[in-house]
Amino acid sequence: MIKFLDLQKINNQYRDELVQAATRVIDSGWFLLGEELTQFEEDYAKYCGTKYALGVANGLDALRLIFKAYIEMGLMSRGDEVIVPANTYIASILAVTDNGLLPVLVEPRLDSYNLDASLIEVAITSKTRAVLTVHLYGQNSIDDQMLEICQKHNLFLVEDNAQAQGGVWKGKLTGGIGDAAGHSFYPGKNLGALGDAGAVTTNDKELYQTVKALRNYGSHKKYENIYQGLNSRLDEIQAAFLNVKLKYLPKEIEKRREIAEQYLKGITNPLVVLPLVPDPQQHVWHLFVIRNNNRLKLQQILLESGVQTLIHYPIPPHKQGAYSNFNENHYPITEQIHREVLSLPMSPVLTDKEVQEVIQLINKFKG
């Protein structure tokens, strides 16, 4: 079986170091807001090219806390609008609505699956305060047009960088381009913890200080609470694990790019739509996503041949029961994407032989 993602094999590469990290935390007797977290925050901020990084419980909380902080800072208010790509994972939208903000869904580009910057300006109203752009599947979603629009209309640019740690645009890494970014270290991410974990990065000192308090019950000093905060702290053991794996992230990204290049060159079936990647440095290939108008049949054939695939994501946010107020809305590009996408095996431990086997099976598919 060619696994979609072999987490055991990935983490076994670093088993000795992970065991040492866990032992160090256990022996220290300090499990929250300690030296391991401080070290990871320093190292991750340096990696992303930002002044600040804050470890939090998960990627959703990272985004929730950014918007909650802007509200506490008096820069946003409940009822304000945030532009969000319509085809994102639902967590992006949950972070908006959880703060009493209103998501304004905007279609993506069909070739990149990322937010179509040319559609942003027509969606802006007097209540718009931010653009939440999602680096979907691992590809940078920011361009000059998006930045110009945000500057022109005085909008915050928030990055959902859950899938794209290490992507580069004009010399900057994703997570360090906008005003703030939320990161996920869910185990299956390119930089994956061994449990839930996330982070906020920013160059804004006030935002940093506000999020730092909010993640810890709204407290800047023990037993003194200046905000109605959350309990969203990245624990010491996950911080220690992440610091082990952060060292190897550049190497793993390069391996992912090599695998993606094999897929891009090798898959020649005209029934399959391959991802468009104008600049390889802007993509870190968290997922390698193809499109086919009979994707369930293709998925079944691959499974019968011993190849695992996944669908990211089968139901768009505006068709979910959680957002029934959006259910009658129509976003044709988003709906086409969710109807056709199929994610192929992608991980730094895939062998060339396995990649070639997947390519051969796809090229034989007749629809």
Side-chain angles (χ1 to χ4, degrees), residues 183-208:
H183 307 251
S184 170
F185 308 123
Y186 178 78
K189 303 299 187 187
N190 290 20
L191 178 58
L194 276 69
D196 267 326
V200 172
T201 53
T202 186
N203 290 312
D204 184 330
K205 185 176 182 179
E206 184 180 1
L207 180 68
Y208 161 75

Side-chain angles (χ1 to χ4, degrees), residues 5 116 127 220 228 317:
L5 181 65
D116 189 339
K127 292 186 175 182
H220 69 301
Q228 296 178 25

Side-chain angles (χ1 to χ4, degrees), residues 156-176:
F156 292 109
L157 179 58
V158 179
E159 300 173 67
D160 183 337
N161 199 40
Q163 300 184 6
Q165 295 96 342
V168 180
W169 182 71
K170 291 192 171 182
K172 292 185 176 181
L173 268 66
T174 56

Side-chain angles (χ1 to χ4, degrees), residues 14-32:
Y14 317 122
R15 180 181 178 85
D16 290 346
E17 290 183 74
L18 293 171
V19 170
Q20 290 171 16
T23 302
R24 188 171 64 247
V25 174
I26 293 167
D27 290 347
S28 76
W30 195 285
F31 306 111
L32 290 169

Side-chain angles (χ1 to χ4, degrees), residues 101-141:
L101 303 168
L102 302 177
V104 176
L105 305 185
V106 172
E107 287 269 59
R109 287 171 51 124
L110 187 57
D111 56 3
S112 70
Y113 311 121
N114 280 328
L115 181 61
D116 189 339
S118 69
L119 301 178
I120 292 175
E121 202 153 21
V122 296
I124 293 172
T125 72
S126 60
K127 292 186 175 182
T128 308
R129 296 293 177 267
V131 172
L132 173 56
T133 189
V134 182
H135 306 306
L136 198 63
Y137 307 146
Q139 181 162 220
N140 165 58
S141 62

